Amino acid sequence: MTTASSSLMWFRKGLRIHDNPALEYAAKNSSNVYPVFVIDPHYMKPDPGAFSPGSRLAGVNRIRFLLESLVDLDSSLKKLGSRLLVFHGEPGDELIRCLKEWNIKRLCFEYDTDPYYQALDARVKNYASENGIEIFSPVSHTLFNPAHIIEKNGGNPPMNCQLILKLVGEPQWLSSPLSTTLDTIPPIGDVGNCHIIEVPTLKQLGYENIQEEEPPIFRGGETEALRRLRESTSDKEWVAKFEKPKGDPSAFLKPATTMLSPYLKFGCLSSRYFYQCCKEIEKEFKNHTDPPVSLRAQLLWREFFYAVGFGTPNFDHMRGNAICRQIPWNDDDELLAAWRDAQTGFPWIDAIMVQLRKWGWIHHLARHSVACFLTRGDLFVHWEKGRDVFERLLVDSDWAINNGNWLWLSCSSFFYQFHRIYSPITFGKKYDPSGAYIRHFLPVLKDMPKEYIYEPWTAPLSIQTKANCIIGKDYPKPIISHDVASKECKRKIGAAYELNKKTNGMVSDEDMQNLRRKLVEDQSEGTDSKRLKQKLI
Ligand code: FAD
């Protein structure tokens, strides 16, 4: 082991000190450590043409969260005698320049399976190995190495979450405590002529006119992540009895789940540490819940989607994706925009979409409701379009989990019971009969009597007038008839499933065209797609 050398610790996700094996390795084996984060303008630059404030790729809630996480990391590094060196530019170029300028002997970073990082890392690794730089890139974003899960499954990703523990057993690191802190970090060496900046503010990035209607729901960073983890796990019985999919998607004053997803997404919280905490609590309760419904199991779902995403070419597309059923979705931008902009006329759906835009987070079953509505339930819009909207607006937006769940919800993969549809009217009512959630996120409906809050178009005009909400003027009429549209969706998916079966999943462009033609021909009177859409006002 050499100690008189410089290491570069490249932060991307993994924005934490606790359980960070790459940072630990750099700190233990180097005389100087350069902790670096590169701000990619591609990801951060405002896009005035986007449908919501933010960059081309990310809504402003997520950008804010990332900046806060960087400030928090910088402050933790300072307490350990170091600081975060922030750069602005194309990450590969910036990093290679630093490696050269500082004569780095060791490059440490957390392994990442996202396609974006796979491509970026291949380039940087290539440079490093050509120049004799040691690379240390451990797996610590997930509980297991997704490649290991695939290997144990005979080279194929598992198609069932329950299989994960059967294949690989409990993780090896579980038996001993994970590191929660570091004593110190070796000093930063000479930074030469590199242009280092402070973590920028939103304003410095060009977000001048962000109107905050209410304070952001999340504060980014490891400090807040650990505080929230302590808070979520302080009620041990709640953890031990956690059972998904039970839990109220309409609970907004005290949401029904941990809301730790943004912290896991950016690695402000280690999923391994979270898993270990759950496991410790389970030991204290004989009758705790188990996978796939327990809280610990939610992290196994995450693992599952990481493994499938990593092992499936074109996982984020329908075409060329071997595990995705080929379905003739429509490309109706008007329906898509109505869904995205909370203008469907179905209060349960619209309230969820408002929460998504404002908070950047919605409950799992709320995600189910709106994803089902957009795709196989009602509008029959392509799941990739809904995925893109989520990808932009969610603070926790995660490539593997988001794509995996959209595949699931649209009955394109994993789950095939397309006859089971979430009603945009009765599903929410089960949890929240008085419509408190709708009234909160859609104040235009706040005075609508509870009898009509889920179907305001059925309220007599006198009631609408009294509630100061005329349907078709103050709030849209429903864009479709749910009964008609859902039947139509089932008919189309049924026919697509037949075709997938007949062709053994090898559906050609021509097959798809023929299917589209046949579906139009078979369309019975009164279900014409133009008629399905009532006028949006
Ligand atoms: P908890 O119930 O407290 O669970 C703890 C953690 O387990 C979560 O933070 C998350 O990391 C993981 N987890 C929980 N449920 C799932 C699941 N079904 N699949 C994989 N991991 C899970 N989650 C994301 O983190 N990013 C996404 O981009 C994302 N997109 C989704 C899109 C759709 C259409 C659907 C239906 C679900 C999506 N989810 C996504 C999964 C899930 O809804 C969220 O992880 C969860 O609601 C986050 O809230 P929480 O942290 O309170 O979860």
Side-chain angles (χ1 to χ4, degrees), residues 244 257-261 298 361 364 367 396 398 401-402:
K244 234 171 171 178
T257 53
T258 64
M259 292 179 86
L260 286 169
S261 48
Q298 301 315 306
W361 183 92
H364 186 57
R367 298 183 200 214
D396 64 32
D398 177 299
I401 310 180
N402 197 28

Side-chain angles (χ1 to χ4, degrees), residues 232 238 242 244 255-265 271 274 294-306 361-372 390-391 394-409:
S232 290
W238 180 82
F242 185 95
K244 234 171 171 178
T257 53
T258 64
M259 292 179 86
L260 286 169
S261 48
Y263 301 92
L264 290 162
K265 183 246 151 58
S271 60
F274 183 9
S294 59
L295 183 56
R296 177 170 58 91
Q298 301 315 306
L299 295 170
L300 294 170
W301 282 105
R302 179 176 183 267
E303 224 53 28
F304 168 66
F305 289 120
Y306 268 81
W361 183 92
I362 44 179
H363 183 274
H364 186 57
L365 291 177
R367 298 183 200 214
H368 275 231
S369 293
V370 294
C372 178
F390 267 37
E391 191 171 296
L394 283 171
V395 180
D396 64 32
S397 165
D398 177 299
W399 183 82
I401 310 180
N402 197 28
N403 280 295
N405 275 286
W406 274 95
L407 283 164
W408 185 300
L409 261 298

